[in-house]
Amino acid sequence: MTAVLDRSRVSAVVGLLVLFEITSGFIQGGVAPLLPDLGAEMNISDADLNWVISVQLLAAAVSVPAFGRLGDLHGHRRMLRIALVCVAAGSLLVVVAPNLAVLLLGRVLLGPLAALLPLEIALVRDRLPADLARRAIARLVGALALGTLLGAVLTAGLHQIIGDARLTLLVPAVLALLCVPVSFVAVPESETLATGKLDLPGVLVLSVSMVALLGGISLIGTSVGIGLLICGAVGLGGWVILELRTPEPLVDLRALAGRTVSPFFFCSFVFGVVYFGSQAPDSTFLAADRAVAGYGFGFTALQISLVALPAAVGAVVGSSLTAVIAGRFGYRRTLIAAFLTIAVTFVAMAFLHDEVWQLLLFKVPVGLAAGVALGAMPTVIAETAEPSRTGITTALYNNVKTLGGAVAGAVVAAILAALVRAGGDTPTESAYVVVWLMCGGLCLAAALAARFAHRTEAA
C-alpha cells in the first residue's frame, strides 16, 4: 500500500518537473528569434552571434555529466535545485549584460539548464515502474518542446512591444527565479544512490580540451586556430585514456562501445548539431535585408518566431505521440523515419528558400520528426543503464546532444565568417546552403546508424 501511495505522489510531482521543463524550453526558445536584434543592440556580428548559442552548449557539455554523476552519488533532487539556481543567476546576468563578454558569461551559467532533463528522468525512473516512467519521460520531453514554442512566440511578441531584446529576456529570468522555491515544495529525493566520487580530473581535462577545440574551430584557417585544434584533439585523446583508466570515471566510455547503444548516442550528437546548429543561421537568414544581402526577408523577431511556430507546434505534437508511435513500430524504426524526414527537409530547404511559404512548408515535417526523435532517444538510452547510474547515463545522452550543438555553433560560425560578400562581413547565400546541406547529410548518417543498431527490448 505504501509503494502505491508513493508512486501516486511521485506521479503528481511530475507536474512540478513539467514546470521546470517548460521554463527550460522557454529560455532556450526565446533566445533564437532575438539574436538579430540582440546583435544590433550590442554591435555583435552574425558570425559572433553563434557563440551566444554555442557557449551555453559548451558549458552544458562540461556541466551535464558532472551534475548527472553528482546526482547519482548525492541525490538527483539536490543537484536539480543547484542547477535551477545556476540557471536563474545566468538568466539575470544575460539581462543586465553591458557587453558581449558579460553576455557570454551569463550564457555559461545557463549550462546546467541541459542537466535538468537528465536529473528529472533519473528521478522518475528511480521512483516509478517502467511503464509509468516512459509516460513521464514523454511528458517531460513534451513540456520542453511546449516551452520552446511558448518561448519563441511570447518572447518575440513581448519584444515587439518592449523594443529592447535584453529587457525582454527578463521574462524567462523571472520564470527561472520562480522555479527555485518551487523545487523545495514537494519533489522527492531519489532512493537508489551510487557509491564512489566525482572524477574531478576528468571534468577539468574535458573542460580545457573542449574550450581549445571549439576555439580552434572558430579560428580555423589561422595559426592560432590550428594550434588550438591540435591542443584540443590531444587533450581529448588524453581525456579518453584518463577515463578508461579511472575506476569511477566521469563518463563511462565503455558504455558507448557496443552496437546496442552507441548508434543512439551518435544520433544524439547529430540531433544536437542539427537542432542547435540551425537556430542562429535560420534567424539571421530570415532577418537579412534582401536588397543588401541578396537573400532574406528583413523579418523582425516576432516574424521570425512565427515562421518557426509550425516546427515548434510539430515538435510538441511529435513528442507527445512518441510513446504511441514507438509502441507500435519500435523505437529504432521510429528514429530512422524521424532522421530521414529531417534529412529530406534540410536538403529541400537548401534548394527552395526564396519564398516564405517554402520555408513554412518544411517546418511542419521537420518539427514533427524532431519531436519524435526527442521523445524516443532518452527512453532508449535510459533503459540501457543500471538503476544506480541512470543519472550519468541520461546526462551522457544530453551531453552528447549538447556537445553536438556546441561543435555545430563553432562550425557554423566558421562557415558564415568564411563565405562572405566582397568588402564586408555579411555571409553569402551559399554559406547558408552549405549549413543546410551539412545538416541533411548528418541526419542521413544518423538514420543509417540507427538502422544498424542492435535491437533492445525498447527498440
Side-chain angles (χ1 to χ4, degrees), residues 42-217:
M42 302 185 69
N43 196 27
I44 304 172
S45 68
D46 287 353
D48 287 340
L49 279 176
N50 285 277
W51 284 105
V52 176
I53 298 293
S54 61
V55 74
Q56 186 256 322
L57 298 175
L58 172 60
V62 175
S63 63
V64 166
F67 273 75
R69 181 59 180 155
L70 287 171
D72 288 337
L73 293 171
H74 304 294
H76 302 105
R77 180 185 65 179
R78 176 181 297 182
M79 297 312 301
L80 181 67
R81 290 170 175 172
I82 295 174
L84 288 171
V85 170
C86 291
V87 170
S91 299
L92 288 175
L93 192 57
V94 166
V95 173
V96 301
N99 51 49
L100 178 61
V102 178
L103 174 66
L104 294 181
L105 177 60
R107 295 292 293 175
V108 168
L109 287 175
L110 286 173
L113 188 72
L116 297 181
L117 184 59
L119 292 169
E120 292 158 0
I121 291 175
L123 271 173
V124 298
R125 187 166 182 259
D126 178 77
R127 303 299 292 266
L128 293 175
D131 56 337
L132 293 180
R134 287 182 181 183
R135 287 200 286 266
I137 292 172
R139 286 175 61 188
L140 292 173
V141 174
L144 177 61
L146 176 61
T148 304
L149 185 158
L150 294 174
V153 176
L154 296 182
T155 303
L158 286 172
H159 178 261
Q160 194 80 2
I161 299 172
I162 298 173
D164 186 290
R166 281 180 294 168
L167 189 58
T168 302
L169 291 173
L170 182 61
V171 175
V174 171
L175 287 175
L177 279 173
L178 290 175
C179 285
V180 175
V182 170
S183 68
F184 286 84
V185 174
V187 179
E189 185 59 277
S190 48
E191 296 179 332
T192 305
L193 298 180
T195 58
K197 60 182 180 179
L198 177 65
D199 175 22
L200 284 177
V203 174
L204 293 175
V205 175
L206 177 62
S207 302
V208 174
S209 301
M210 286 303 304
V211 170
L213 185 63
L214 295 178
I217 293 174

Side-chain angles (χ1 to χ4, degrees), residues 230-302:
I230 294 173
C231 290
V234 172
L236 284 179
W239 176 76
V240 169
I241 296 174
L242 177 65
E243 294 299 279
L244 292 174
R245 293 181 176 179
T246 301
E248 292 288 341
L250 174 68
V251 176
D252 186 2
L253 296 177
R254 292 180 177 85
L256 300 177
R259 278 181 56 192
T260 299
V261 65
S262 58
F264 298 114
F265 277 110
F266 175 73
C267 290
S268 302
F269 179 83
V270 169
F271 188 89
V273 171
V274 173
Y275 182 76
F276 294 112
S278 63
Q279 286 183 4
D282 277 1
S283 296
T284 54
F285 180 87
L286 292 170
D289 184 350
R290 182 166 297 194
V292 176
Y295 59 84
F297 305 95
F299 280 176
T300 64
L302 179 59

Side-chain angles (χ1 to χ4, degrees), residues 345-377:
T345 54
F346 269 102
V347 172
M349 192 185 305
F351 295 97
L352 301 171
H353 51 260
D354 292 331
E355 303 292 338
V356 176
W357 67 265
Q358 295 171 334
L359 299 177
L360 289 172
L361 183 65
F362 300 140
K363 294 297 182 183
V364 176
V366 78
L368 284 169
V372 170
L374 269 175
M377 285 186 293

Side-chain angles (χ1 to χ4, degrees), residues 44-50 280-290 292-296 411-436:
I44 304 172
S45 68
D46 287 353
D48 287 340
L49 279 176
N50 285 277
D282 277 1
S283 296
T284 54
F285 180 87
L286 292 170
D289 184 350
R290 182 166 297 194
V292 176
Y295 59 84
V411 171
V412 170
I415 293 173
L416 297 185
L419 302 176
V420 296
R421 295 173 62 86
D425 60 358
T426 301
T428 62
E429 183 177 358
S430 61
Y432 292 96
V433 172
V434 169
V435 171
W436 292 327

